[in-house]
Amino acid sequence: MFLHLGNNYLVNTKDIIGIFDIENTSVSANTKEFLNFAAKNRRVVNCTYEMPKSFVVCLDKDFTETVYISQMSCATLLKRSKRIPE
């Protein structure tokens, strides 16, 4: 099934590695380094024109990570993902 991230962006729930709060996790140097590395390698998809609240890390078929920046909160995305039958 698919999870709607906002602005017509959908990801397959089987590809999701994690859903993270951008405000709390971006304080860590490791997270900043990961996000900068993903941005430099053009692996970041900005799903919003508004203030971002979360980011979703997905693993593609070729085993590379893609980071989706969303205006949805982590709680909203988690609720949506739990409503989806496996």
Side-chain angles (χ1 to χ4, degrees):
M1 299 308 284
F2 292 92
L3 177 64
H4 180 253
L5 302 177
N7 289 338
N8 297 323
Y9 285 92
L10 300 170
V11 293
N12 192 330
T13 55
K14 294 178 183 179
D15 296 339
I16 296 175
I17 296 174
I19 300 172
F20 304 93
D21 181 88
I22 204 161
E23 189 174 318
N24 291 327
T25 58
S26 62
V27 178
S28 167
N30 291 334
T31 305
K32 286 181 185 177
E33 184 179 336
F34 172 75
L35 292 173
N36 285 332
F37 180 78
K40 286 179 186 176
N41 289 301
R42 297 183 177 166
R43 303 300 297 174
V44 176
V45 177
N46 196 351
C47 302
T48 182
Y49 299 110
E50 299 175 23
M51 179 67 78
K53 295 182 183 175
S54 63
F55 65 96
V56 179
V57 180
C58 294
L59 192 62
D60 295 343
K61 292 178 184 177
D62 58 351
F63 297 106
T64 56
E65 293 104 358
T66 302
V67 178
Y68 295 89
I69 309 293
S70 176
Q71 79 270 16
M72 306 284 184
S73 71
C74 285
T76 300
L77 293 174
L78 287 171
K79 284 179 191 175
R80 287 181 177 188
S81 69
K82 289 182 180 181
R83 281 192 253 151
I84 299 171
E86 290 292 325

